[in-house]
Amino acid sequence: MDSKRIISFLLPFLCTLLSSCSIKEDRSGCPCYLTVDLSQVLNASLTPPSWWDRDLRIALLQDGTTIRESRVPYEEAQPEYVYQVPKGSVWVTGVLGLDAGLMTDGVVRYPEGQESDCLYVSSRLVPCEGEEARCVLEMYKQFSRIEILGLESFDYRMVVTAGCSGLDLRTREALEGRFRFPIRCEEDGSCHFRLPRQQSDDLMILLLDKQDGHLDNSIPLGRFLTDIGYDWNAASLSDVTVRVDYVTLSVSITISDWDRTVEFPFTV
């Protein structure tokens, strides 16, 4: 067999060998396809439909900047969403209940005069180095619903203040800022407000004179909560009931998922 016939005979085999050799295509610049799984968010036993009073907001962040963001109404929600993202680590955040809060690049802040939203948050740092990645959203409660009983006997204008008015959605940590919200009581004398996650015990109920607005007294609710062992770093925050007794000059506090009440003296 001459050389030309040998080459023509071997050429197809050589091409096949070269295509399957160890030289691989550089795919470092290719995107990653990130699947966000909503199965737990759509499971009513894990995430009650009442939490969906606002659209689910899904935000993907990389290097502190939002690279993708979408809103998902409850009636249109699908079990999975696939996003094309650059290679690297991506923060996946899901937010339910956002209304008064202002959300920018993984941070929610509340303007002065606004209470916390009924905010539920999921966050996870997902490695997206390959061609595909996956993340499951799991929602955690980021506010405490405070109920105060007995204030109807106080002839004051009442304001709650605290040192944190925002949340880092990625780490679910409280952010410093001026929180100030006027307390209004219902006809039965009960008062309610929603407090965002805090990081210190400077939560106060200010009792202001109705005429000139000067500070007449205060209730150190943050210190009382610290003394009782309330955990501001819990994955989901517990609700709190406070009973103020003007006759016995005492404040009693009950945490929603505890089986005991603790009483503190209160000085008028």
Side-chain angles (χ1 to χ4, degrees):
M1 185 179 295
D2 59 35
S3 60
K4 290 183 178 181
R5 293 183 62 188
I6 294 174
I7 292 175
S8 63
F9 178 77
L10 293 177
L11 186 59
F13 297 98
L14 291 172
C15 291
T16 301
L17 179 62
L18 288 172
S19 65
S20 61
C21 70
S22 60
I23 301 175
K24 297 183 179 180
E25 178 185 0
D26 181 8
R27 302 183 60 83
S28 60
C30 296
C32 174
Y33 291 91
L34 172 60
T35 299
V36 178
D37 183 335
L38 268 59
S39 58
Q40 294 202 29
V41 182
L42 295 175
N43 185 332
S45 64
L46 299 174
T47 307
S50 60
W51 293 8
W52 286 75
D53 60 339
R54 296 289 185 275
D55 294 347
L56 169 67
R57 296 182 60 167
I58 301 174
L60 311 181
L61 299 101
Q62 203 168 48
D63 299 325
T65 302
T66 302
I67 57 175
R68 294 292 301 273
E69 185 173 346
S70 57
R71 296 188 181 212
V72 181
Y74 181 74
E75 60 276 5
E76 299 177 11
Q78 302 296 317
E80 294 182 349
Y81 289 85
V82 180
Y83 299 91
Q84 182 177 302
V85 299
K87 294 285 180 66
S89 295
V90 175
W91 277 102
V92 180
T93 64
V95 180
L96 282 174
L98 187 66
D99 183 17
L102 306 177
M103 178 173 137
T104 306
D105 288 338
V107 169
V108 169
R109 292 192 181 275
Y110 292 100
E112 186 173 338
Q114 294 285 350
E115 63 181 330
S116 171
D117 294 320
C118 296
L119 196 69
Y120 300 87
V121 173
S122 175
S123 61
R124 182 167 297 176
L125 184 61
V126 182
C128 297
E129 306 294 345
E131 295 184 4
E132 295 181 350
R134 189 176 188 87
C135 175
V136 179
L137 293 189
E138 303 171 275
M139 310 307 292
Y140 297 95
K141 183 170 173 282
Q142 303 302 307
F143 68 98
S144 177
R145 185 177 284 106
I146 310 292
E147 178 184 39
I148 305 180
L149 308 174
L151 288 183
E152 70 275 10
S153 58
F154 288 64
D155 189 26
Y156 292 109
R157 181 165 60 88
M158 291 164 287
V159 175
V160 57
T161 65
C164 292
S165 61
L167 183 75
D168 187 323
L169 297 175
R170 292 156 293 188
T171 60
R172 299 198 296 272
E173 294 179 347
L175 297 177
E176 292 185 358
R178 180 180 171 87
F179 181 85
R180 186 179 178 91
F181 183 74
I183 301 175
R184 300 179 181 88
C185 294
E186 307 294 336
E187 292 183 359
D188 63 359
S190 64
C191 307
H192 307 84
F193 62 90
R194 295 185 300 270
L195 188 70
R197 188 179 290 275
Q198 300 293 306
Q199 58 182 208
S200 64
D201 60 0
D202 56 1
L203 170 63
M204 301 285 291
I205 298 175
L206 307 182
L207 306 178
L208 308 175
D209 186 274
K210 287 185 175 180
Q211 299 301 319
D212 59 17
H214 80 267
L215 179 61
D216 194 39
N217 209 333
S218 62
I219 300 174
L221 184 55
R223 180 167 58 81
F224 291 162
L225 289 173
T226 296
D227 290 347
I228 200 177
Y230 187 88
D231 185 6
W232 287 111
N233 295 315
S236 288
L237 294 178
S238 300
D239 295 331
V240 177
T241 299
V242 181
R243 291 177 174 82
V244 182
D245 192 322
Y246 192 80
V247 176
T248 62
L249 299 181
S250 64
V251 174
S252 59
I253 296 178
T254 304
I255 309 300
S256 59
D257 48 2
W258 292 12
D259 58 359
R260 62 190 177 94
T261 297
V262 178
E263 188 173 293
F264 299 91
F266 171 63
T267 302
V268 177

